[in-house]
Amino acid sequence: MKYGLMGVAVLLASSTAALAADFYQPPVEQPIIEQPVIEQPVASAGGWYLRGDVGYSYTKMRGAHFFQGSNANVAHFASAKVDNTWTGGIGVGYQATQYLRGDLTLDYFGKSDFRGSTIGGCGVATACTSRDITSFSALSLMANAYVDLGTYYSVTPYVGAGIGGTRVKWDKLRNTSCETGNPANCDPTVEHGGGENWRFTYALMAGASVDITCDLKADVGYRYRRVLGGNMFGYAQNGGPGYDKGFNMHEVRAGLRYSLGGCAEQVAYEPPPVSYEPPPVFK
């Protein structure tokens, strides 16, 4: 009996092994999936560009003075104010790296009217107030450097600084002195020849550029420009010469920058193929 049961067990074990061998299937080879080739632009590390800008300048005059009678007697304007004006400029620059660039710009400032007054004696009275009228225009040549702060959804904020010179040209100054208590009682109007000269200038900038196309950017920004003082008008009838004390110019600007290097080249980027190893089979 015992030997019979052992025989049945051996027979069952042999049958199970045979069935397992019959149902074994070789592993299925998984296909190798290749990623599609993706075209990605490569940003240019440098290149020349041209720029053009227009803007509006909120201009504040820092004062003016002149010599009265002799070089030992300095008189100051009681009031000195200039109008705001428009500005337009051109420039050429170079993008040195993704974050650093510089340019050379030439900006013209349209005529800005000046109205001033002085207080003192005149020919018709001992207490007089003058009316002084003229205007000036300016041409500013600047070397500028900028730091681009990264690009976010095609917008690149930046900060910058510049140094250079500004040639300020004054028109003739018309001076009319009238009795303070009786403005109708006036001396004849005196004309002083206008002065002009180059002045040292520095600037601070902040703004952002926006990608319009791959080689064209719109640029919107603010520029503070500090122009030092210089010649304002010449000597005439015991008065002059006169000097202005310079200007603070707060400019709102908009313009375009065009890259001369064209668009960035496209390169093919192909990630390595991804393959799947079949799971191990235990027999």
Side-chain angles (χ1 to χ4, degrees), residues 196-215:
E196 60 180 298
N197 67 325
W198 283 95
R199 295 107 175 271
F200 176 76
T201 303
Y202 65 85
L204 300 173
M205 296 84 76
S209 62
V210 181
D211 295 337
I212 299 176
T213 65
C214 59
D215 54 3

Side-chain angles (χ1 to χ4, degrees), residues 233-253:
F233 56 87
Y235 175 86
Q237 293 193 13
N238 210 35
Y243 303 89
D244 68 73
K245 297 180 181 180
F247 307 93
N248 291 326
M249 296 178 169
H250 302 272
E251 306 165 33
V252 179
R253 301 160 60 89

Side-chain angles (χ1 to χ4, degrees), residues 38-92:
I38 303 173
E39 296 288 338
Q40 291 188 342
V42 176
S44 176
W48 293 96
Y49 63 85
L50 299 176
R51 69 177 303 156
D53 301 273
V54 294
Y56 189 78
S57 175
Y58 297 87
T59 307
K60 181 176 177 58
M61 190 173 181
R62 297 172 59 88
H65 65 275
F66 61 98
F67 294 101
Q68 183 65 53
S70 71
N71 289 342
N73 187 14
V74 178
H76 294 270
F77 276 79
S79 65
K81 182 180 179 181
V82 293
D83 290 341
N84 301 324
T85 187
W86 61 271
T87 178
I90 57 175
V92 59

Side-chain angles (χ1 to χ4, degrees), residues 147-163:
V147 177
D148 291 329
L149 304 177
T151 301
Y152 310 91
Y153 300 101
S154 300
V155 178
T156 305
Y158 65 84
V159 294
I163 59 172

Side-chain angles (χ1 to χ4, degrees), residues 7-21:
V8 172
V10 171
L11 179 62
L12 289 174
S14 301
S15 300
T16 303
L19 287 173

Side-chain angles (χ1 to χ4, degrees), residues 21-205:
D22 291 340
F23 281 98
Y24 170 74
Q25 297 293 331
V28 178
E29 293 289 336
Q30 297 292 333
I32 296 176
I33 302 175
E34 296 184 357
Q35 298 295 328
V37 175
I38 303 173
E39 296 288 338
Q40 291 188 342
V42 176
S44 176
W48 293 96
Y49 63 85
L50 299 176
R51 69 177 303 156
D53 301 273
V54 294
Y56 189 78
S57 175
Y58 297 87
T59 307
K60 181 176 177 58
M61 190 173 181
R62 297 172 59 88
H65 65 275
F66 61 98
F67 294 101
Q68 183 65 53
S70 71
N71 289 342
N73 187 14
V74 178
H76 294 270
F77 276 79
S79 65
K81 182 180 179 181
V82 293
D83 290 341
N84 301 324
T85 187
W86 61 271
T87 178
I90 57 175
V92 59
Y94 187 78
Q95 185 85 41
T97 70
Q98 183 180 356
Y99 300 103
L100 296 176
R101 59 186 171 88
D103 56 35
L104 188 68
T105 56
L106 182 66
D107 296 299
Y108 176 77
F109 292 82
K111 279 194 174 183
S112 176
D113 292 333
F114 166 87
R115 292 179 298 278
S117 65
T118 61
I119 298 174
C122 65
V124 296
T126 57
C128 298
T129 301
S130 73
R131 297 190 303 268
D132 300 273
I133 300 173
T134 184
S135 62
F136 80 95
S137 58
L139 193 67
S140 191
L141 180 64
M142 302 287 292
N144 311 289
Y146 308 88
V147 177
D148 291 329
L149 304 177
T151 301
Y152 310 91
Y153 300 101
S154 300
V155 178
T156 305
Y158 65 84
V159 294
I163 59 172
T166 300
R167 185 168 185 82
V168 177
K169 184 180 186 304
W170 286 97
D171 292 337
K172 289 182 179 181
L173 181 139
R174 294 171 55 86
N175 168 265
T176 306
S177 295
C178 302
E179 184 179 357
T180 301
N182 182 13
N185 184 24
C186 303
D187 283 347
T189 297
V190 178
E191 288 191 351
H192 299 258
E196 60 180 298
N197 67 325
W198 283 95
R199 295 107 175 271
F200 176 76
T201 303
Y202 65 85
L204 300 173
M205 296 84 76

